[in-house]
Amino acid sequence: MTVESVLLFVLGVVVFIIGLLVSIGLHELGHLSFAKLFNVKVTQYSLGFGKAIWSFRRGETEYGIRPILLGGYISMVGMLKPRATGRPNAITNTGMYGAFVQDARQASAEQIADAGGDDSRAFYRLTPWKRIIVMVAGPAMNLVIGIVLFGVLLCGFGAPTTTFTSSVDCVLPTSQSTRCAPGDGSSPAKEAGIRDGDVVLAVNGTQDPTIAEVSRVFKRSAGKAVTVVVERDGQRRTLEVTPQLATRDVVTDRGTVAKNADGSTKTQQVGVVGVSIGQSLVRQSPAAVLPATGAQIAASAHLIIDLPQRLVAVWNAAFGAEERSQDSPVSVVGVGRAIGEVSSMSGVPVVDKAYTILGLLASLNIGLFVLNMVPLLPLDGGHIAGALWEAVKRRAHQLAGKPDPGAIDLAKSMPLTMVVVVLLAGMSALLIYADLVRPVDLFG
């Protein structure tokens, strides 16, 4: 690597760290803002974990940055209901790994008075709907960041769209041919009126086709008319093109030319139209932002559902000979590395680099939103689920004419919470290790 590429790699990582800090900071700011709005006593606001490397105090809250940037937290007094004796449990925080910092924050538990003390500003004293708002506010900030970034990508840069990038006047007879010979007929693309830069809207009824889908239709349709809908100069045009049978090399999934047993190049007869198929960024209307965000939410949820199976594949890649797939889950280390690689790529326009980096940050924030909404402690979704259960329980008692059961005792879920914490820690350690020794080739 050259000095310039190393500096660009470092610059990309720095940009990612700043983006990560902003995402974490706004997530915790969402919690903090509504906690203070509802008069909950907040003693700490932290970006990262570990010993504070920089902090200051404003009012009753200490604000700080810590070196382990795997999340963040705010310390709210009384997130757990006090014990029956009146002595409170140690408080927790809103971070993903809150259980690991309870000992360091034991002093905050003293903010809840012992038996007979005033705990009117404790978090558990809030009504269920207020607690839900406080806990939803954090993931909601990540969702908003994701929506804004997708808006910038789609409306400012555009969406990657299948496009006819270049055409030739004839169908070259083999993959090795480079120019048309005298007497060669016009290519099907030229006869159909296809032009360079035409955006492919549909092919044989398939809407918004991928490059692979368009190529597959052409290859299988030698001698058959194919209906192609394109957009040119803002107008839709319907064209008919009939692929011509030609000899082409067989290409493997790895992008290499396949060989016969005798070492010769393997070829096949396929339909060809004489046009290259690529991608270009086509600006979208604001109406496309929410559907794109929804699709990313669904993809993130699917990733979490399949996480056990995917982690097995990550383990086999990290400690075995298997390759990691491009859709493998990654840690923040993997995302940072990918952004650094994008920044250091030579020959790639700055616009394309910015697009890729913003796309990764947008996907990261949507992933954080989905993960934090999982209804398990110590994730935000666990507190939301507890508040919802309390609301249902109180309403049921009210309808049955029974006394108000009071705040739910989330301390009973601590054994399960510890299991979740251990699993999350193990998953993070595995992904970080795999990202260091067997990183995902996102651009291969």
Side-chain angles (χ1 to χ4, degrees):
M1 295 179 69
T2 64
V3 174
E4 180 183 3
S5 63
V6 171
L7 291 176
L8 288 174
F9 183 94
V10 173
L11 177 62
V13 173
V14 170
V15 169
F16 167 68
I17 292 175
I18 293 174
L20 181 63
L21 282 173
V22 170
S23 299
I24 296 173
L26 291 177
H27 175 105
E28 299 305 331
L29 182 62
H31 290 308
L32 179 72
S33 300
F34 283 96
K36 286 185 173 292
L37 178 65
F38 297 141
N39 199 34
V40 175
K41 188 169 185 178
V42 182
T43 59
Q44 278 188 318
Y45 170 97
S46 176
L47 304 183
F49 301 100
K51 187 177 180 180
I53 56 179
W54 177 81
S55 66
F56 68 94
R57 178 173 296 277
R58 178 168 296 175
E60 63 189 12
T61 307
E62 178 190 7
Y63 301 82
I65 297 178
R66 300 167 191 270
I68 306 176
L69 298 178
L70 296 178
Y73 63 91
I74 66 169
S75 296
M76 293 183 288
V77 169
M79 289 193 73
L80 297 181
K81 182 180 179 180
R83 297 187 179 95
T85 59
R87 185 174 180 78
N89 286 310
I91 64 174
T92 62
N93 61 48
T94 62
M96 184 181 297
Y97 305 102
F100 289 118
V101 296
Q102 282 196 9
D103 290 341
R105 295 169 46 224
Q106 184 63 38
S108 296
E110 297 175 2
Q111 295 172 347
I112 302 178
D114 289 336
D118 180 15
D119 63 350
S120 60
R121 296 182 62 196
F123 177 76
Y124 83 92
R125 289 289 191 186
L126 295 178
T127 58
W129 69 267
K130 287 185 177 180
R131 296 210 303 276
I132 291 173
I133 289 175
V134 172
M135 301 314 297
V136 167
M141 292 298 286
N142 291 120
L143 177 60
V144 171
I145 294 171
I147 292 174
V148 170
L149 290 178
F150 275 120
V152 172
L153 289 172
L154 296 177
C155 302
F157 291 84
T161 307
T162 303
T163 306
F164 293 130
T165 56
S166 62
S167 59
V168 294
D169 292 335
C170 69
V171 171
L172 301 174
T174 67
S175 296
Q176 286 71 37
S177 303
T178 57
R179 63 181 60 184
C180 297
D184 287 342
S186 297
S187 68
K190 185 175 181 180
E191 292 180 354
I194 292 175
R195 296 182 184 177
D196 298 352
D198 282 351
V199 176
V200 184
L201 302 179
V203 57
N204 269 1
T206 301
Q207 302 296 317
D208 300 320
T210 63
I211 295 175
E213 289 172 335
V214 175
S215 179
R216 190 180 306 118
V217 170
F218 286 163
K219 287 181 178 180
R220 296 176 178 176
S221 304
K224 302 177 183 178
V226 175
T227 301
V228 181
V229 180
V230 302
E231 181 178 322
R232 182 189 305 161
D233 299 328
Q235 295 183 342
R236 294 169 64 97
R237 299 173 184 268
T238 301
L239 308 174
E240 278 200 355
V241 58
T242 303
Q244 178 181 325
L245 195 65
T247 302
R248 290 291 181 265
D249 295 345
V250 176
V251 180
T252 67
D253 293 337
R254 294 180 175 272
T256 59
V257 177
K259 299 292 184 179
N260 293 310
D262 60 1
S264 60
T265 300
K266 183 180 291 188
T267 60
Q268 61 182 342
Q269 295 286 308
V270 296
V272 177
V273 301
V275 67
S276 296
I277 309 169
Q279 282 189 333
S280 62
L281 295 177
V282 179
R283 289 186 178 180
Q284 307 292 305
S285 72
V289 176
L290 290 183
T293 304
Q296 185 60 46
I297 291 174
S300 297
H302 182 72
L303 175 64
I304 292 175
I305 292 172
D306 291 343
L307 197 54
Q309 175 182 340
R310 291 173 182 265
L311 288 177
V312 171
V314 173
W315 177 278
N316 292 335
F319 299 99
E322 293 186 14
E323 295 289 333
R324 288 184 72 182
S325 61
Q326 285 189 314
D327 62 349
S328 170
V330 295
S331 67
V332 291
V333 172
V335 178
R337 183 170 186 164
I339 289 178
E341 290 177 353
V342 171
S343 302
S344 61
M345 285 181 176
S346 60
V348 178
V350 174
V351 171
D352 291 344
K353 292 181 179 182
Y355 185 91
T356 304
I357 292 173
L358 288 177
L360 288 171
L361 288 174
S363 299
L364 175 64
N365 274 279
I366 296 300
L368 290 174
F369 163 74
V370 175
L371 178 62
N372 275 285
M373 294 303 291
V374 173
L376 292 172
L377 289 172
L379 302 171
D380 296 333
H383 292 283
I384 295 169
L388 287 172
W389 173 243
E390 178 182 322
V392 171
K393 186 177 179 180
R394 283 184 162 183
R395 181 59 176 168
H397 277 65
Q398 182 182 15
L399 292 175
K402 297 181 179 180
D404 187 343
I408 192 171
D409 186 8
L410 286 179
K412 294 179 179 179
S413 66
M414 284 301 103
L416 175 61
T417 301
M418 291 304 300
V419 172
V420 175
V421 168
V422 171
L423 291 176
L424 288 173
M427 178 190 72
S428 298
L430 172 61
L431 291 177
I432 290 174
Y433 177 77
D435 288 336
L436 292 174
V437 302
R438 192 66 65 87
V440 176
D441 184 6
L442 295 175
F443 314 102

